[in-house]
Amino acid sequence: MSSPPPPIATSQSQSHSGSADNNNNNKNTDSNVNIKPPAPGTSSIISLSLSSTTIFLVLVIAVLVPLVLGSSGALLRNLGIQGFRRATTTTATTTAAAVPIPIATSTSTSTSTSTNLPKMSSFKTPVYFISHGGPNVMYETDHPAYGALQRLGREITGPGVLAGLNEREKKGAAAGGGKGVGVGVGAKGVVVFSAHWQAGKRRVEVNVGEGDGLIYDFYGFPDHYYKEKYPHRGSKALAETVLGLLEKAGIEAEGVKRDIDHGVWAGFKCLFDPKDNPLNVPIVQVSLYDNEDPVMHYNLGKAIAGLREQGVVVICSGMAVHNLRDMRFVYGTNKTLPYAVSFDDALKQAVTAGTGEERKKALVELLKRGDARQAHPTFDHLLPVHVAAGAAEGEKATQIWTKAEMSFSWAQYRFGELLKAEEEVKVE
């Protein structure tokens, strides 16, 4: 078996060779404003010179604007005045119908939306953490990780997850004349988090685009790597639903149009081969935060957990161990650095030992280990594990497969259970 070439990816600050929109979307547009402290000897109070007329106008506006807004909401919506996360209330309602999860833009909208929704399924789709490797994983078909990803992809598209939901959707519709058990809980899509997309320090972004473009966020590979294609489609409806859930959880989020990065498409070409195992459902990518806070990322996953009851699979893509710097010491050899094994073992212990708060605490403590910064000089490839754990907070996790090699580990995890063949999708 040949050794894979270095899986080198650009940092978020480096430009991609994708579309112009991609480059724009990689800019830091965080809405938080950093205010510098006052210089020594100056006051921290900002002095304003206002005339009496100006003060009078300010007071009038302060009194009248709330009254106008309170009575003219419909007029403002007709004029196109929108919130930063959502397009309009009408769009939100339409989105909820496409992927039936209540979205609260206001008290009245939430009540109206939820009363018209199908009831949720008692089955929750599993959540997955995958180690995606470098883009060379697509070509190294003799590498064990390639086969492991293919097997996992067949599990996701198979009767235990997506195909099983669609089958029960058909049976439910046939048995109930379109109103039977399972209707409304067929396979809806995949929501994916990748190590290669961070947004703001306290803000995440959701891809609302519906195109099939790719970002080639790596360098040093042969030319044909940059001509790769992966057929897929997005879903604005599903993206808007994600934005609604994040808003409901108090998470600042913004919809952007963006192509998918190699943390998604390179691994997905192995998981869901377009010829042999096509995914056939929309893909919506969500960013991580641009910070290393494990609790914030855990809560990010927790916020979108409700998608799992509506036939949406959550996939979190990173690496169990990821140290590109140290690869030069062992590349071309059969050696594995000690921390690749020790941290891989510690990660398994943290993920599989418990659920809920116990697992959350263990995953926070994981980042404090002495070998943590060896295994992950930056935590961007580890934090998708925290997102996955949050999305399946009370459910056990299973390590599906792992392999430590060089300065990496390829561990894969499933959070939650598969749909058993004899089970019926029950509607509460």
Side-chain angles (χ1 to χ4, degrees):
M1 179 182 71
S2 60
S3 298
I8 302 174
T10 63
S11 67
Q12 287 296 313
S13 61
Q14 292 173 307
S15 62
H16 299 298
S17 55
S19 66
D21 285 344
N22 296 338
N23 294 331
N24 291 337
N25 286 330
N26 284 328
K27 294 178 181 178
N28 184 1
T29 56
D30 198 340
S31 60
N32 296 330
V33 178
N34 295 319
I35 302 175
K36 294 181 179 180
T42 63
S43 172
S44 61
I45 299 175
I46 300 175
S47 299
L48 298 177
S49 298
L50 298 175
S51 67
S52 59
T53 302
T54 304
I55 294 173
F56 174 77
L57 289 174
V58 170
L59 291 174
V60 170
I61 292 170
V63 172
L64 291 181
V65 167
L67 295 177
V68 174
L69 291 177
S71 60
S72 305
L75 174 62
L76 292 175
R77 286 193 296 273
N78 290 334
L79 292 173
I81 298 175
Q82 305 167 359
F84 75 95
R85 293 186 186 125
R86 310 299 304 280
T88 61
T89 302
T90 302
T91 301
T93 305
T94 303
T95 300
V99 181
I101 293 178
I103 299 176
T105 53
S106 66
T107 303
S108 59
T109 303
S110 177
T111 303
S112 174
T113 302
S114 60
T115 55
N116 297 322
L117 294 175
K119 294 182 180 179
M120 293 183 178
S121 165
S122 60
F123 172 68
K124 296 180 180 180
T125 56
V127 177
Y128 293 91
F129 170 80
I130 65 166
S131 294
H132 61 250
N136 48 295
V137 69
M138 301 178 292
Y139 301 101
E140 293 287 327
T141 57
D142 59 342
H143 192 284
Y146 182 88
L149 287 167
Q150 284 200 317
R151 290 191 297 273
L152 182 57
R154 287 192 289 270
E155 173 181 303
I156 295 170
T157 59
V161 190
L162 295 178
L165 286 173
N166 284 336
E167 182 63 24
R168 282 151 182 77
E169 172 96 350
K170 294 176 184 177
K171 289 181 179 179
K179 298 181 179 179
V181 172
V183 175
V185 292
K188 295 294 194 302
V190 167
V191 168
V192 58
F193 296 81
S194 163
H196 293 277
W197 186 17
Q198 295 87 34
K201 299 295 183 184
R202 304 189 65 83
R203 187 194 82 255
V204 297
E205 294 175 347
V206 179
N207 183 20
V208 299
E210 298 184 304
D212 62 353
L214 307 180
I215 299 174
Y216 304 93
D217 50 342
F218 46 82
Y219 63 91
F221 289 87
D223 289 346
H224 64 273
Y225 278 66
Y226 305 94
K227 298 176 183 177
E228 276 288 344
K229 301 295 180 185
Y230 180 69
H232 67 281
R233 69 186 191 278
S235 169
K236 186 176 181 181
L238 178 53
E240 288 284 356
T241 300
V242 173
L243 285 165
L245 291 173
L246 295 174
E247 180 180 2
K248 185 178 179 181
I251 294 175
E252 184 182 352
E254 181 181 2
V256 300
K257 290 186 177 180
R258 179 186 187 272
D259 297 331
I260 59 174
D261 57 64
H262 88 273
V264 180
W265 65 264
F268 275 33
K269 286 203 76 168
C270 304
L271 287 165
F272 313 112
D273 184 279
K275 294 180 180 179
D276 299 331
N277 186 35
L279 187 55
N280 292 332
V281 293
I283 299 170
V284 171
Q285 186 175 357
V286 183
S287 78
L288 303 177
Y289 290 105
D290 187 18
N291 67 42
E292 295 189 334
D293 188 322
V295 176
M296 287 182 69
H297 285 87
Y298 184 94
N299 290 337
L300 176 59
K302 187 175 179 178
I304 54 90
L307 293 169
R308 301 174 54 211
E309 298 176 64
Q310 295 301 321
V312 177
V313 176
V314 177
I315 299 177
C316 301
S317 178
M319 284 291 284
V321 175
H322 183 259
N323 188 328
L324 288 170
R325 303 172 188 174
D326 286 356
M327 185 175 63
R328 66 186 186 275
F329 299 125
V330 288
Y331 182 66
T333 74
N334 292 321
K335 295 180 180 179
T336 298
L337 294 174
Y339 63 75
V341 176
S342 62
F343 193 85
D344 192 42
D345 291 342
L347 177 61
K348 179 182 179 181
Q349 178 65 23
V351 170
T352 63
T355 61
E357 287 298 319
E358 179 185 358
R359 181 165 62 202
K360 179 181 176 181
K361 181 179 179 181
L363 286 171
V364 170
E365 292 300 314
L366 188 68
L367 274 60
K368 302 175 184 178
R369 285 176 53 90
D371 56 356
R373 286 296 183 184
Q374 290 178 298
H376 292 275
T378 60
F379 289 144
D380 48 11
H381 279 70
L382 180 61
L383 290 168
V385 173
H386 296 76
V387 177
E393 186 173 47
E395 296 164 82
K396 292 183 178 180
T398 303
Q399 187 186 80
I400 300 171
W401 183 79
T402 193
K403 177 179 175 60
E405 64 171 348
M406 297 192 294
S407 53
F408 306 98
S409 168
W410 293 87
Q412 301 170 352
Y413 291 93
R414 180 201 311 118
F415 297 75
E417 300 294 332
L418 298 174
L419 182 63
K420 296 181 174 60
E422 66 273 12
E423 287 181 353
E424 191 178 60
V425 176
K426 297 179 181 179
V427 177
E428 298 171 353

